[in-house]
Every structure is written in structure tokens, then in C-alpha cells.
Amino acid sequence: MEPVHVYYDGGCGLCNRSVNWLKRKEDRGLFDLATLESEKFEELAGRTNRTFPDSIVVETGDGTILTRSAAVIHLLKRLGGVWKMVGWLMWIVPRPLRDAVYDLIARFRHRLFPGPDSCPIGAPRG
């Protein structure tokens, strides 16, 4: 299975904790991780000519771009097992409601989860 590209806010404590959690849960190379501040993400943004949120962006193997709750659901389903079931349960909730909850959490994430000194994949924050 080809890895999906997961881009996250390297300065966000919640994003970093989530990425560390993903790394602990999977050992099959399902995810290629990079920060939103990386050259890799800049290339994606330039290629798609889109503006993205500053929290999480997933690019699937077929080039589909997912953000907000859709990105989270995709990652959970990809993990498999009980997490796949959690993803399906989240998917049942109408997207506008899911995204509203996602946006509410994203709005306060920097206050609730202070950022790390470095991102979880080893590159210093910049």
C-alpha cells in the first residue's frame, strides 16, 4: 500500500501529538509525514494552486486532497482495526457538523496544546 502524504502544523502541540500517535500506531509505512512549513508542502500548494488550512492536509495516493475532518477520517480508516470503525462512525456525522467541531478545536489548539521545540519527525521548527 502506497503511503499517503500527511502535512501538519509543526508549531502546533496538538498536531505534533497526533503525528506522534500516528507513528506509534502504525509500522507499515502508511504515512509520509511533513510539516506545512516544508518544501514538500510548498510544492503541493504550488502544484494545486490552492490555499490550505494551517492544521492538517492529506494527499492520497490518487492525488485527492483532504482537509479538516475528512483528513482525520481518512487517516483513521487507513490505520485499520478499531480505528477504521471509529473513522466510519465519524463519517456518519454530516460533514458540516464534523468540520464545525474540527474548526472549534483548531481555533483553540495553540492555547490548549503548546507547541514543541521540534517537530516529531526530527526537523527543527523554523
Side-chain angles (χ1 to χ4, degrees):
M1 189 181 291
E2 185 177 332
V4 297
H5 302 288
V6 180
Y7 303 99
Y8 62 97
D9 181 356
C12 167
L14 178 58
C15 296
N16 277 276
R17 288 176 184 169
S18 299
V19 166
N20 280 329
W21 180 83
L22 269 180
K23 287 171 47 179
R24 284 191 310 272
K25 293 292 179 196
E26 73 94 17
D27 60 358
R28 299 165 287 173
L30 297 175
F31 308 112
D32 176 30
L33 307 168
T35 65
L36 295 173
E37 299 84 11
S38 69
E39 288 180 22
K40 193 176 216 176
F41 180 72
E42 287 182 25
E43 179 185 312
L44 170 70
R47 183 170 25 107
T48 60
N49 201 25
R50 286 180 55 180
T51 302
F52 294 101
D54 69 345
S55 53
I56 188 167
V57 176
V58 171
E59 180 182 19
T60 66
D62 67 1
T64 302
I65 305 295
L66 304 169
T67 60
R68 300 162 74 195
S69 67
V72 172
I73 289 170
H74 182 79
L75 297 175
L76 290 170
K77 287 180 180 179
R78 194 160 171 88
L79 281 172
V82 70
W83 299 111
K84 186 173 187 175
M85 189 182 326
V86 171
W88 280 110
L89 290 173
M90 288 176 62
W91 181 80
I92 292 170
V93 176
R95 187 173 188 157
L97 181 57
R98 289 190 328 244
D99 282 345
V101 171
Y102 182 94
D103 291 343
L104 181 66
I105 294 168
R107 186 174 174 191
F108 295 105
R109 66 195 161 106
H110 289 289
R111 284 184 244 165
L112 297 172
F113 303 93
D117 292 331
S118 65
C119 72
I121 56 175
R125 262 187 27 207

